[in-house]
Amino acid sequence: MTVGPMFDEWYPVGIFGQLDAAGRKTMLMGEPIVVARDDNGDAKVTDGTGRSLPVCVRYGHVWTSLGDPKKKLFAIPEADQPGRRFVDVGVVRVRCSPLRAVENFLDIAHFPFVHTDILGAEPHTEVQAYKVEIREDVDEVWATQVEFYQPQAAKSASGGITTQYMYRVAGPTSTVLYKTCPPRPSEWDVITLFVQPLAEDLCDVWPWMALFDDDTPMTDLIHFQQTIFLQDRSILENQVPRLLPLDPGMEMPTRADLTSVAYRRWLKRHNFTYGAQLVAQ
Amino acid sequence: MMKLYDYILSPSCYKVRLMAALTGTTLDLRAVDFHPGLEHRGPELLALNPAGSIPILEDGDVLLTESSAMLVYLAAKAAPDWLAGSDAKEAARVQQWLSFSGRLTSSLGGARLHEMLLRPGDIGALQSSGIAALRELELGLVEQAERGQKFLAADRPTVADIACFPYVALAPDGGVSLDPYPAIRLWSRRLRSLPGFIEMPGIHRLHELKPEPQLEKSET
């Protein structure tokens, strides 16, 4: 299949701090690429023919595109806020559609069942009504006023709290969540999922965080997020069909799925279909 | 208190955490940045374990770097029932499966590291040696059932079960399905039902063992 408009979008392809001159051989939507550091210490990405691809280093990661990006990489203003700690969680490969990895990240209803006693617990399973919109000015999907009871919302949380969330889809395979920051209630913790599409049914996932937490050792912050994501991984690898369905077919979304419905609608609108199933089977 | 150099996603570290939980032993966990930081290959940990692997268990002047030895140590201190009894066959079976567990680590564990954390390896060879090991384990469990025994080496769980369980349960992480092995699935279920059992990412809690939500609500 052809990649379509997703060809011109930005994708994460490595942790900048871990690059060396030898480089990281990887794939982007079926194309072999090499991500390396050049003689000046800058990131450099080349495709299979040796052609240099567009490069941007932001949020701890190297970003590139196979095509010609129409826009700059999306902004996360919190990334420039003093006092935050930035956490490169490390790559995890998942045998699933890159779009499914994003959709799972946007879902709240699975918390008590998959992240039991951390992000959710029975009997607190109800997803309260929340708001979802496609913000036309920035062309992003936003879910706001999301609330959920969590036994251990963050490494810095000492007991159960009702956590506020905002979710944001900033690119076809890039998503950001903002959640209650236990040590600093006036601010939001920022947790992202940057997804590198290797193929339509295979992706490398690069979680990254910008947190207010002066006490927790860095390794513990990394492990907290790896725990959560590895709980998701086994679920993601078992989802059927493997590609994200953009044709509702036999699916019956509920109110709790509003963010997913908006994400799929937004993908369809832009013809972002790499990793999607277009006709229900 | 015993100190465990630990990584939350390592099945070998999980063996030790699980054994500790099942025997009521408290561990002081020291998180090691295995991924992405490769801290286990750094000078501090290499000084403790030249092999560059985790887990590492410290208890006073005892320093252990092999997970099977840690299981034996924890059991001997807190719950000797988990060790082999005096029966010759039982003792040999425990030892047999403890050694066998190393094959699970190198095959299924290698496949998992390759498929999940992009570690180098020949994935086809890792997966096929993993499948060969699973077939052997399945057969071993069927033979145990013929003898009227529910676990790998005896009619009660032993250190041998804990040594083999994690890499088996996480085989799907490395692209190896457990669907063809009914005896393994039943055995896994028995282990997951033990009082004190703890999970790790990729090994989910048995949902039916959680309190009934309705019941819990009416009780509170």
Side-chain angles (χ1 to χ4, degrees):
Chain A
M1 81 158 268
T2 57
V3 172
M6 278 174 72
F7 199 72
D8 294 317
E9 296 290 314
W10 289 105
Y11 300 99
V13 289
I15 292 177
F16 180 63
Q18 287 194 334
L19 284 191
D20 55 24
R24 167 174 197 264
K25 288 193 181 66
T26 178
M27 302 279 281
L28 184 55
M29 298 191 285
E31 290 289 324
I33 59 168
V34 179
V35 188
R37 214 180 256 266
D38 68 13
D39 297 340
N40 300 324
D42 298 325
K44 180 178 168 65
V45 183
T46 43
D47 72 4
T49 65
R51 181 178 62 113
S52 288
L53 299 178
V55 170
C56 152
V57 176
R58 202 77 178 93
Y59 320 129
H61 291 75
V62 180
W63 299 76
T64 193
S65 174
L66 292 175
D68 184 14
K70 307 280 181 291
K71 291 194 292 188
K72 279 181 22 182
L73 184 67
F74 57 88
I76 304 178
E78 290 80 3
D80 300 317
Q81 207 177 0
R84 284 188 188 262
R85 287 170 73 198
F86 305 110
V87 186
D88 298 334
V89 177
V91 67
V92 178
R93 179 160 295 176
V94 189
R95 192 157 289 282
C96 75
S97 156
L99 308 178
R100 283 233 185 246
V102 169
E103 186 188 58
N104 174 76
F105 189 78
L106 301 173
D107 178 61
I108 310 128
H110 74 283
F111 286 175
F113 310 105
V114 177
H115 309 298
T116 311
D117 296 342
I118 306 175
L119 300 185
E122 291 184 85
H124 311 280
T125 57
E126 188 179 351
V127 178
Q128 305 288 334
Y130 59 91
K131 291 204 162 147
V132 178
E133 59 184 334
I134 296 177
R135 293 191 180 165
E136 303 292 346
D137 53 337
V138 285
D139 192 24
E140 293 183 348
V141 180
W142 278 80
T144 54
Q145 299 176 29
V146 183
E147 277 195 6
F148 209 72
Y149 173 81
Q150 303 197 316
Q152 198 198 344
K155 199 68 200 175
S156 56
S158 50
I161 52 171
T162 297
T163 310
Q164 266 86 42
Y165 275 85
M166 293 191 294
Y167 284 92
R168 166 186 178 201
V169 178
T173 68
S174 293
T175 180
V176 183
L177 75 76
Y178 301 82
K179 69 186 284 189
T180 305
C181 171
R184 216 186 279 204
S186 63
E187 299 282 358
W188 298 93
D189 274 341
V190 175
I191 301 176
T192 73
L193 206 68
F194 302 144
V195 182
Q196 173 184 353
L198 300 165
E200 285 202 273
D201 59 354
L202 187 67
C203 52
D204 278 352
V205 176
W206 305 88
W208 179 81
M209 305 192 284
L211 311 175
F212 284 111
D213 179 341
D214 294 330
D215 302 326
T216 309
M218 182 59 90
T219 300
D220 290 351
L221 294 175
I222 292 172
H223 289 183
F224 183 81
Q225 201 56 24
Q226 286 184 351
T227 298
I228 301 297
F229 189 67
L230 268 291
Q231 290 174 336
D232 287 316
R233 184 180 180 273
S234 56
I235 305 291
L236 279 167
E237 295 204 332
N238 284 292
Q239 287 180 339
V240 178
R242 191 145 277 206
L243 302 182
L244 181 74
L246 290 187
D247 171 5
M250 300 290 279
E251 283 193 300
M252 297 259 284
T254 69
R255 270 175 74 101
D257 301 322
L258 276 180
T259 317
S260 158
V261 170
Y263 174 54
R264 293 185 188 197
R265 195 171 288 160
W266 180 83
L267 290 172
K268 243 176 169 164
R269 178 202 277 195
H270 290 287
N271 210 13
F272 288 155
T273 56
Y274 189 82
Q277 184 194 68
L278 300 180
V279 179
Q281 284 160 2
Chain B
M1 194 192 301
M2 286 186 224
K3 179 173 177 181
L4 181 70
Y5 291 79
D6 179 48
Y7 177 43
I8 185 74
L9 301 184
S10 153
S12 293
C13 294
Y14 167 65
K15 289 179 192 180
V16 184
R17 295 197 303 271
L18 176 58
M19 193 74 229
L22 292 167
T23 57
T25 309
T26 311
L27 296 172
D28 172 20
L29 298 178
R30 151 73 161 83
V32 175
D33 182 8
F34 178 92
H35 178 76
L38 300 176
E39 190 190 354
H40 57 299
R41 304 268 169 78
E44 185 197 347
L45 268 74
L46 281 177
L48 288 174
N49 180 14
S53 63
I54 48 172
I56 301 168
L57 186 72
E58 274 181 345
D59 187 28
D61 59 357
V62 176
L63 179 73
L64 300 174
T65 59
E66 295 292 337
S67 60
S68 289
M70 298 175 205
L71 300 182
V72 168
Y73 186 65
L74 287 169
K77 286 193 84 153
D81 267 6
W82 284 83
L83 299 173
S86 55
D87 177 70
K89 288 181 183 169
E90 182 181 302
R93 264 184 221 127
V94 167
Q95 210 53 54
Q96 170 78 17
W97 291 114
L98 282 179
S99 297
F100 174 87
S101 70
R103 275 174 57 200
L104 297 169
T105 309
S106 58
S107 59
L108 296 173
R112 180 172 176 269
L113 281 177
H114 183 277
E115 292 295 274
M116 200 168 89
L117 302 183
L118 317 190
R119 294 293 199 267
D122 177 348
I123 185 63
L126 292 168
Q127 287 174 337
S128 50
S129 51
I131 289 167
L134 286 174
R135 288 181 182 173
E136 206 173 319
L137 182 72
E138 175 80 6
L139 188 62
L141 285 163
V142 170
E143 285 172 351
Q144 279 296 90
E146 301 275 304
R147 296 180 191 111
Q149 302 198 339
K150 291 192 177 68
F151 294 91
L152 265 179
D155 200 28
R156 61 177 198 288
T158 65
V159 286
D161 296 283
I162 305 306
C164 292
F165 168 73
Y167 285 99
V168 170
L170 293 166
D173 277 352
V176 175
S177 169
L178 292 174
D179 290 354
Y181 312 109
I184 288 178
R185 293 206 309 279
L186 211 59
W187 167 73
S188 163
R189 203 190 146 75
R190 275 188 204 114
L191 290 170
R192 291 158 77 201
S193 313
L194 293 172
F197 181 86
I198 55 167
E199 303 127 58
M200 73 164 272
I203 300 179
H204 298 277
R205 191 175 307 183
L206 287 178
H207 197 257
E208 54 272 38
L209 295 180
K210 290 196 274 190
E212 289 292 336
Q214 294 314 320
L215 201 70
E216 202 172 49
K217 217 172 203 172
S218 61
E219 279 172 355
T220 50

